[in-house]
Amino acid sequence: HDLSNDNMFYGFPSLDGKTIKVARHHGGASTDAIEIDRTVHQEDLRPIQEFVAGNLEGVEPRAIRSQVCMYTNTPDGDFLVGYVPARPEVIVLGGFSGHGFKFSPVIGDAAADLALEGRTTYPIDFFNLERFVG
């Protein structure tokens, strides 16, 4: 994954039935939990508004609410799912904060399969921890 690509967006309807959530997947400055700037600046909104105006017919590109979120990612941008090398009784799930909640149903199923059955039919091999173990 190219984590420098600021042109990936996602969205879904909000619970009020009148608005939608639209966000940029990744993007923003590198930071940490202590130093993060929680202020939404116009330069943060601009790419999202441009995306909405150019791609979502009938949606007004005006923010009703906005909020800064923080992602944590593995170096390659993919999740960690699998057994700890040399500790087959330990299953690790990681790299999910910020965007992982959207994947929790399927990742939860895969993790339950691993814990209960020792395997899963979900294609999770590319999430294995061994890719970071030298």
Side-chain angles (χ1 to χ4, degrees), residues 1-122:
H1 286 78
D2 178 5
L3 297 182
S4 66
N5 183 350
D6 290 346
N7 296 316
M8 296 186 325
F9 298 87
Y10 68 93
F12 40 84
S14 51
L15 297 176
D16 65 14
K18 299 174 185 171
T19 60
I20 60 173
K21 175 181 180 172
V22 179
R24 190 168 54 167
H25 183 64
H26 294 84
S30 293
T31 190
D32 62 46
I34 295 170
E35 299 294 326
I36 188 170
D37 179 1
R38 293 281 180 189
T39 304
V40 177
H41 301 279
Q42 181 55 40
E43 60 266 20
D44 299 321
L45 295 174
R46 188 172 298 111
I48 297 166
Q49 291 168 322
E50 290 171 358
F51 171 79
V52 168
N55 295 281
L56 301 178
E57 187 176 325
V59 177
E60 185 178 341
R62 181 175 57 92
I64 302 297
R65 292 183 303 273
S66 59
Q67 183 175 339
V68 171
C69 72
M70 185 172 157
Y71 277 29
T72 56
N73 294 104
T74 60
D76 65 6
D78 285 329
F79 303 136
L80 295 173
V81 179
Y83 297 100
V84 173
R87 298 291 308 268
E89 72 279 10
V90 178
I91 299 169
V92 171
L93 308 175
F96 293 97
S97 82
H99 70 291
F101 76 95
K102 296 182 287 292
F103 300 94
S104 59
V106 69
I107 295 297
D109 278 352
D113 289 348
L114 293 175
L116 298 172
E117 307 294 330
R119 64 190 180 334
T120 184
T121 58
Y122 289 101

